[in-house]
């Protein structure tokens, strides 16, 4: 089942913070986060595992709430390079296929 | 180390013509995915391979799509005949699978198909 992301789009000024949410109707064992710039392939940011530690990337971090079956991606002091579409993916490994949400488009303006 | 390689990058064909996409995953990655991505949407899974076995092809429209992964390395995705609605980017991704844990996916640059 496809995870649901919110918001669909965000516009920020450089230096501002943003939060992107990903929720699932199924129990979550792992959540992947990827960023895709226009015309490029998705690039891995991090994986959060049930009961495992979260991994950060630059000033981007994430949380994983097993009870609420959701994950949130936190972008702190955003930079122009953060612009792109962010996808969360659930499943993978022994949980089967990695299914992606529809994405959140982030635009960072100077 | 080379990343996931896909070809062709771009393909323009007329409807009802056949088309094939090729993917070479990262060496040693046993899991290979084919995703379809429409403009402004997330990648949608078509098929997943574990080594040479297609473990999930439930989303692959088998009347016109076929895929193979010979010797558990390279993979080919074929569409025959192509329809207008098949215009999209076809992404190949690979990952390693360590004791059931989901490894990160490495994506190729994709093959952009335009059906006229």
């Amino acid at each position: 089942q496809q995870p649901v992301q919110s918001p669909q789009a965000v516009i920020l000024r450089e230096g501002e913070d943003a939060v992107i949410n990903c929720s699932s109707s199924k129990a979550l064992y792992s959540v992947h986060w990827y960023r895709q710039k226009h015309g490029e392939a998705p690039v891995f940011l991090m994986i959060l595992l049930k009961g495992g530690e979260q991994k950060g990337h630059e000033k981007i971090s994430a949380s994983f709430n097993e009870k609420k079956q959701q994950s949130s991606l936190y972008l702190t002091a955003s930079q122009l390079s953060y612009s792109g579409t962010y996808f969360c993916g659930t499943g993978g490994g022994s949980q089967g296929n990695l299914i992606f949400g529809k994405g959140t488009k982030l635009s960072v303006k100077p | 180390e080379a990343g996931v390689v896909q070809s062709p990058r771009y393909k323009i064909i007329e409807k009802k013509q056949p088309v094939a996409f090729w993917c070479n995953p990262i060496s040693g990655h046993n899991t290979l995915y084919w995703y379809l991505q429409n403009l402004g949407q997330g990648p949608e899974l078509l098929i997943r391979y574990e080594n040479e076995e297609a473990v999930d092809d439930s989303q692959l429209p088998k009347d016109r799509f076929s895929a193979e992964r010979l010797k558990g390395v390279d993979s080919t995705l074929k569409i025959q005949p192509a329809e207008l609605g098949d215009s999209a980017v076809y992404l190949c991704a690979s990952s390693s699978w360590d004791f059931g844990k989901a490894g990160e996916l490495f994506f190729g640059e994709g093959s952009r198909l335009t059906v006229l």
Side-chain angles (χ1 to χ4, degrees), chain B residues 50-85:
Chain B
E50 296 289 349
N51 299 307
E52 67 275 7
E53 182 183 359
V55 296
D56 191 335
D57 62 356
S58 59
Q59 303 304 311
L60 192 71
K62 298 181 186 65
D63 57 336
R64 297 183 300 107
F65 286 66
S66 64
E68 61 181 7
R69 189 182 184 194
L70 299 176
K71 300 181 180 179
V73 183
D74 294 0
S75 178
T76 302
L77 178 70
K78 297 179 181 178
I79 308 174
Q80 182 172 12
E83 297 179 351
L84 296 176

Side-chain angles (χ1 to χ4, degrees), chain B:
Chain B
E1 181 181 333
V4 176
V5 179
Q6 289 188 246
S7 68
R9 286 293 314 279
Y10 304 93
K11 189 74 175 179
I12 301 174
I13 60 172
E14 294 191 347
K15 63 180 180 182
K16 300 186 181 179
Q17 294 299 306
V19 64
F21 306 114
W22 175 80
C23 173
N24 179 238
I26 291 175
S27 177
H29 280 190
N30 53 322
T31 305
L32 184 146
Y33 300 82
W34 281 103
Y35 285 91
L36 175 155
Q37 187 173 31
N38 287 305
L39 188 64
Q41 299 294 313
E44 299 171 30
L45 182 71
L46 290 172
I47 189 169
R48 175 171 66 104
Y49 283 93
E50 296 289 349
N51 299 307
E52 67 275 7
E53 182 183 359
V55 296
D56 191 335
D57 62 356
S58 59
Q59 303 304 311
L60 192 71
K62 298 181 186 65
D63 57 336
R64 297 183 300 107
F65 286 66
S66 64
E68 61 181 7
R69 189 182 184 194
L70 299 176
K71 300 181 180 179
V73 183
D74 294 0
S75 178
T76 302
L77 178 70
K78 297 179 181 178
I79 308 174
Q80 182 172 12
E83 297 179 351
L84 296 176
D86 296 332
S87 295
V89 175
Y90 292 83
L91 293 166
C92 178
S94 69
S95 72
S96 60
W97 191 50
D98 181 20
F99 300 105
K101 293 181 181 178
E104 65 179 276
L105 265 61
F106 293 82
F107 283 88
E109 292 186 302
S111 294
R112 181 178 295 276
L113 174 66
T114 301
V115 182
L116 302 176

Side-chain angles (χ1 to χ4, degrees), chain A residues 22-43:
Chain A
C22 174
S23 62
S24 174
S25 59
K26 294 176 63 176
L28 285 179
Y29 295 91
S30 65
V31 178
H32 291 225
W33 286 98
Y34 291 77
R35 177 172 62 206
Q36 186 176 30
K37 293 185 180 288
H38 183 69
E40 300 180 8
V43 173

